[in-house]
Amino acid sequence: MPHWPIEFGGCGWSTLQVHIFEEECFAAVHEQQIKPGDVVVIRNEGPSGGPGMREMLQVTAALVGEGIGDQVALLTDGRFSGATHGLMAGHVAPEAIRGGPIAAVQDGDMITLDIDTRRLDVDLSDDEIAKRVEAYEPPEPHYKRGVMAKYAASVSSASKGAVTS
């Protein structure tokens, strides 16, 4: 049974550690910057930002390898495979690139996870979230031309199946 500094069986809270891409988060795991009880956010990995909704298996495997896979929560606008272990929430939509609330979170923000009611809330006012989303500067796209650039520009939200029209 994992020991959580936060009670994930019902309601719990923790501070966030936010990463721009999967590779940045993987480096943080490798450098042991992620500690038991952290809630880690990886954004810009959704259908448009990835593009293509990359799988976060590299990070989840690294967390397990460090022995903290059952002591860290991971949230992303990307996706996970069936091999993922621990508390993971993927397919967060709308994604950061498209102005979703995941774009608003910053290192140190407080988050509440309530598994029983299937809610995830950040301790920010609606006005503060709106301000941060408005100020959010998405990273440069991975592809500026070609089929992947066209896909990133036209793909729908993960909540609508990540399809193109």
Side-chain angles (χ1 to χ4, degrees), residues 44-54 77-79 91 95 97-98 141-165:
N44 305 304
E45 295 291 0
S48 186
M53 230 167 165
R54 297 190 309 160
D77 50 11
R79 67 181 178 88
H91 300 234
E95 65 183 290
I97 293 278
R98 298 283 172 90
H142 293 289
Y143 303 95
K144 296 186 185 202
R145 58 189 185 89
V147 70
M148 291 304 285
K150 290 177 187 175
Y151 173 82
S154 65
V155 68
S156 69
S157 171
S159 65
K160 297 184 192 274
V163 297
T164 58
S165 52

Side-chain angles (χ1 to χ4, degrees), residues 1-163:
M1 181 84 138
H3 169 70
W4 289 89
I6 19 184
E7 186 184 326
F8 286 110
C11 294
W13 58 268
S14 186
T15 53
L16 293 180
Q17 191 178 126
V18 180
H19 297 279
I20 305 304
F21 293 115
E22 178 191 20
E23 293 81 3
E24 179 184 299
C25 187
F26 180 77
V29 175
H30 182 70
E31 295 164 10
Q32 298 181 329
Q33 295 173 356
I34 297 175
K35 305 292 181 209
D38 283 350
V39 176
V40 179
V41 174
I42 304 174
R43 61 183 174 206
N44 305 304
E45 295 291 0
S48 186
M53 230 167 165
R54 297 190 309 160
E55 179 183 10
M56 301 294 108
L57 184 58
Q58 182 181 24
V59 170
T60 59
L63 290 168
V64 169
E66 288 293 323
I68 59 173
D70 61 350
Q71 300 170 51
V72 173
L74 188 99
L75 312 171
T76 183
D77 50 11
R79 67 181 178 88
F80 299 106
S81 74
T84 299
H85 298 285
L87 180 56
M88 310 290 161
H91 300 234
V92 173
E95 65 183 290
I97 293 278
R98 298 283 172 90
I102 195 171
V105 297
Q106 297 175 359
D107 286 345
D109 285 346
M110 297 301 292
I111 191 165
T112 302
L113 300 165
D114 188 332
I115 294 173
D116 295 335
T117 62
R118 300 180 62 131
R119 288 194 54 89
L120 183 150
D121 296 297
V122 64
D123 188 20
L124 298 171
S125 69
D126 290 344
D127 288 342
E128 181 63 19
I129 291 171
K131 268 193 246 176
R132 289 185 184 186
V133 169
E134 180 69 29
Y136 180 69
E137 296 280 335
E140 286 292 314
H142 293 289
Y143 303 95
K144 296 186 185 202
R145 58 189 185 89
V147 70
M148 291 304 285
K150 290 177 187 175
Y151 173 82
S154 65
V155 68
S156 69
S157 171
S159 65
K160 297 184 192 274
V163 297

